[in-house]
């Protein structure tokens, strides 16, 4: 019996396990997925928790329920990958493999940011985990007014659009509460131009922020959180005062990656950006946030990658070479208030453009435009996530980006 072991039963690990189980004979291939717990979090929902738009309970489901029959699901922390012996060690056992797929994602490391732990859970909060999102919900509900600063400590971090969505939703939330005039909103981001390298998207987002009276500092890489005087400071010495700090702390790959010597010093696995194969290992593929490839750390990316890795792994099993298919394709809604959203679709070479998606002319979604239909798409995506994408069902959409429906101008 040949063995495939998948590390992590998150977005990428679950989707690819189910896809491979559909494609490979149960008599010849054993598939094992390992995760530390049984709680699958629908992470895009975390954005809504601080504003009471959804609850933490509604976005967490049992991982087991989404892993098909015929897959061995193990709940146990992974402690080491012995890639010389093709063996994964967990707290309670060990698993040999012929092929390994790494889908261990990335994690928050607030302890890496000077001064942040002094304020963590007091005046500084995140919304990237169920626990932090729930604490932030209480902090926002009790906020009487003042300076709310949304800061991203450093690049790379997962879901690069979530901070701007957060500050847009904060504008909506305090308007609804009738206290917007008491709250100053400020986004401090390390991106030199507010967004990733998106010339057209940046103009649209900056215009939206200006209309909402949100101030923005760009190129702001966090050096220090000062609890006594309540400011954040960047490496150039620029300071921003806060009353309530919402922060995406440093993101890192899981410790097991570095401790197993699988990273390049960045805590992420060096990965071929087109084949998705680990650069230094013949029998390892990497999916989702655990890679070091230059596209968004996003669920849509993990789904597109699951199709490419399935194709390439099956090719290799049949004695063919992996193909350089993946183009960095990513698709993200950018919520601008409750009820409206933008949408972006891009890849390594093509920035987000205007137009319709997924069908030319018909859409129904609009690219780089704020629409109610996009908001419906954002909400509907949760159903698609649980029922189509995680089970590894085929969608009509190719994993690579298409120019159909795209336009250079609005
Ligand atoms: C607030 C927020 C909003 C987001 N919004 C969007 C959005 O709108 N659209 C979008 O496309 N993406 C969005 N994302 C990003 C998206 O959720 C992630 O990029 C995606 O889940 C990555 O999938 P993954 O499989 O790489 O990692 P994950 O889904 O995080 O899974 C990694 C798994 O590995 C397990 N693991 C790690 N280390 C170990 C270990 N040592 N032992 C055992 N198990 C381990 C973890 O428990 C976890 O289950 C958002 C993320 C956040 C935080």
């Amino acid at each position: 019996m040949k063995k495939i072991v998948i590390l992590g039963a998150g977005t990428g690990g679950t989707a690819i396990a189910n896809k491979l189980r559909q494609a490979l004979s149960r008599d010849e291939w054993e598939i094992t997925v390992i995760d530390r717990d049984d709680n699958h979090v629908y992470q895009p929902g975390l954005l809504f928790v601080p504003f009471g738009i959804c609850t933490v309970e509604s976005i967490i489901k049992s991982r087991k329920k989404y892993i098909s029959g015929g897959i061995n699901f193990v709940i146990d922390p992974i402690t080491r990958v012995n890639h010389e012996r093709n063996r994964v060690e967990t707290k309670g056992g060990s698993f040999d493999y012929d092929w390994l797929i790494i889908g261990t994602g990335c994690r928050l490391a607030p302890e890496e940011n000077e001064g942040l732990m002094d304020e963590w859970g007091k005046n500084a909060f995140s919304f990237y985990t169920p626990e932090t999102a729930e604490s932030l919900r209480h902090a926002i509900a009790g906020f009487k007014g003042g300076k709310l600063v949304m800061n991203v400590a450093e690049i790379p971090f997962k879901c690069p659009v979530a901070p701007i969505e957060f500050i847009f939703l904060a504008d909506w939330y305090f308007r609804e509460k009738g206290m917007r005039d008491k709250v100053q909103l400020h986004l401090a981001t390390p991106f030199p131009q507010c967004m990733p390298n998106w010339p057209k998207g940046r103009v649209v987002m900056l215009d939206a922020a200006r209309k909402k009276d949100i101030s923005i500092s760009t190129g702001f890489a966090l050096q220090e959180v000062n609890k006594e005087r309540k400011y954040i400071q960047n490496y150039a010495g620029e300071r921003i005062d806060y009353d309530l700090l919402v922060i995406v702390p440093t993101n890192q790959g899981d410790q097991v990656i570095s401790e197993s010597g699988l990273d390049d010093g960045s805590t992420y696995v060096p990965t071929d950006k087109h084949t998705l194969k680990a650069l230094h290992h013949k029998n390892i593929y990497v999916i989702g946030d655990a890679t070091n490839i230059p596209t968004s750390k996003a669920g849509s990316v993990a789904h597109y990658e699951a199709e490419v890795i399935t194709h390439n792994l099956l090719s290799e099993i049949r004695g063919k070479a992996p193909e350089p298919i993946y183009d960095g394709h990513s698709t993200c809604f950018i919520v601008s208030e409750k009820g409206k959203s933008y949408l972006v679709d891009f890849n390594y070479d093509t920035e987000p453009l205007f137009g319709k998606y997924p069908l030319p002319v018909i859409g129904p979604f609009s690219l780089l435009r704020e629409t109610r239909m996009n908001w419906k798409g954002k909400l509907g995506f949760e159903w698609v996530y649980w029922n189509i994408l995680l089970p590894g069902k085929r969608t009509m959409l190719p994993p690579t980006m298409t120019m159909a429906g795209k336009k250079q101008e609005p």
Side-chain angles (χ1 to χ4, degrees), residues 18-34:
N18 290 330
K19 277 185 181 296
L20 289 172
R21 188 63 294 167
Q22 289 154 27
L24 292 169
S25 149
R26 292 188 186 200
D27 297 334
E28 290 172 47
W29 287 91
E30 182 184 283
I31 301 177
T32 300
V33 189
I34 310 172

Side-chain angles (χ1 to χ4, degrees), residues 41 65-66 95 151 252 257 307 395:
V41 181
K65 210 176 139 201
Y66 293 89
F95 301 84
N151 173 239
Q252 290 186 343
I257 299 301
E307 292 211 18
T395 65

Side-chain angles (χ1 to χ4, degrees), residues 181-193:
D181 55 336
K182 296 196 177 69
V183 181
Q184 292 158 50
L185 295 175
H186 193 121
L187 173 66
T189 165
F191 286 125
Q193 309 280 355

